[in-house]
Amino acid sequence: MILWLNGTFGAGKTTTANELVGLVPDATIFDAETVGYMLRHVEKLPPVGDFQDWPPWRHLVVETAAQLLGYLGSTLVVPQTVLVERYWTEIRTGLEKYGIPVHHFVLHSDPDTLTGRIETDSETNTRFPQARQWRLDHRAVYREALPWLTREAEVVDTSRLSPPQVARLVADTVPGTASEASP
């Protein structure tokens, strides 16, 4: 099974994923972004604004997830923003062909809360100073994607929840996960 955490950049996907692996038995994080980093080293790929624009990224995410689940079993937690509906459809359909159940969640917060989180993320802002502005600039893209995201995923309002609370909420909505792992 895959627990896919979607949402805009800076929404708390990675933090929530780290919390989820403590709640879901035998869960493992698969950071699909690393597939994009790998592809950036392949010569002759056309220049793109986002590695998700390369069809091989979407295909390799599906294949890698399927291989990992076949090898490790259990659950993959995938904290990855996908804001292009066609790209999500390709990924979901590919995973369905493997018979892999996907539980898709969008971590959402009101614009003021999101902006505050981005502005005060000292770890990311220190390590990657350009990331702050990049995240802020992509809020509009997220807002444009929200109509299809709300059709395709369960939206979790994180505005007033801590990461452990968000993780618990996600885990509790998926049958056979957190309720069995918790005392």
Side-chain angles (χ1 to χ4, degrees), residues 12-34:
K13 296 177 301 295
T14 301
T15 305
T16 300
N18 287 323
E19 294 287 338
L20 266 172
V21 296
L23 297 173
V24 178
D26 298 319
T28 302
I29 294 175
F30 166 44
D31 185 353
E33 199 162 294
T34 59

Side-chain angles (χ1 to χ4, degrees), residues 30-44:
F30 166 44
D31 185 353
E33 199 162 294
T34 59
V35 174
Y37 297 150
M38 176 192 71
L39 288 173
R40 286 187 177 154
H41 297 284
V42 176
E43 294 180 21
K44 297 186 181 181

Side-chain angles (χ1 to χ4, degrees), residues 134-160:
W134 193 84
R135 288 171 161 189
L136 290 170
D137 292 346
H138 280 79
R139 292 173 300 172
V141 177
Y142 169 71
R143 281 192 303 273
E144 290 171 12
L146 204 50
W148 77 261
L149 286 169
T150 58
R151 287 190 314 272
E152 286 285 327
E154 182 168 340
V155 177
V156 178
D157 187 347
T158 67
S159 300
R160 292 174 178 72

Side-chain angles (χ1 to χ4, degrees), residues 5-20 29 77-81 105-109 113-114 117-118 121 124 135 156 158-159 161-167 170:
L5 304 179
N6 205 341
T8 193
F9 307 96
K13 296 177 301 295
T14 301
T15 305
T16 300
N18 287 323
E19 294 287 338
L20 266 172
I29 294 175
V77 178
V78 183
Q80 179 65 49
T81 298
F105 299 90
V106 172
L107 305 188
H108 176 80
S109 64
T113 300
L114 177 63
R117 288 177 182 167
I118 293 169
D121 183 354
T124 300
R135 288 171 161 189
V156 178
T158 67
S159 300
L161 299 174
S162 68
Q165 290 171 316
V166 174
V170 168

Side-chain angles (χ1 to χ4, degrees), residues 47-62:
V48 293
D50 186 327
F51 54 72
Q52 291 185 13
D53 295 333
W54 286 317
W57 178 82
R58 301 182 300 274
H59 179 75
L60 287 169
V61 165
V62 170

